[in-house]
Amino acid sequence: TENDALLGIDLGTYTLKTSLWSIDGTLLGTVRREYGVQHPHPLWAEQHPHMWWHTLCESTTALLTQTECSPDRIRGIGISAY
């Protein structure tokens, strides 16, 4: 229906971005959250998956609140991670 939405998730090196789009391609809202990279030793870089999950949950909740979109309107999810 015209009230359906699509959720986009972009998991980057330092930032996670969630965006909500209408079915016709209109951007409804975007939330960005930064997270860090740990360097436990010289030339090492680490990130913990629980940090990604926590950031995803927090940013998705903020996005749905910002756009006043009910989760049951989401018809598809696209994820980009590298």
Side-chain angles (χ1 to χ4, degrees):
T1 68
E2 65 185 48
N3 289 328
D4 292 344
L6 303 170
L7 175 64
I9 300 167
D10 180 9
L11 178 65
T13 304
Y14 298 99
T15 304
L16 184 135
K17 180 172 72 172
T18 53
S19 298
L20 198 64
W21 302 82
S22 68
I23 293 297
D24 70 3
T26 303
L27 179 63
L28 302 174
T30 299
V31 171
R32 295 175 192 258
R33 295 292 187 263
E34 292 185 8
Y35 41 78
V37 176
Q38 292 76 43
H39 300 280
H41 302 283
L43 303 177
W44 285 28
E46 295 180 354
Q47 290 179 321
H48 299 283
H50 71 274
M51 177 191 55
W52 298 330
W53 180 250
H54 173 78
T55 305
L56 174 61
C57 292
E58 195 272 336
S59 66
T60 303
T61 299
L63 178 64
L64 294 176
T65 299
Q66 169 189 310
T67 59
E68 299 179 348
C69 179
S70 173
D72 64 348
R73 288 180 44 203
I74 297 174
R75 296 293 175 246
I77 300 172
I79 301 172
S80 171
Y82 54 91

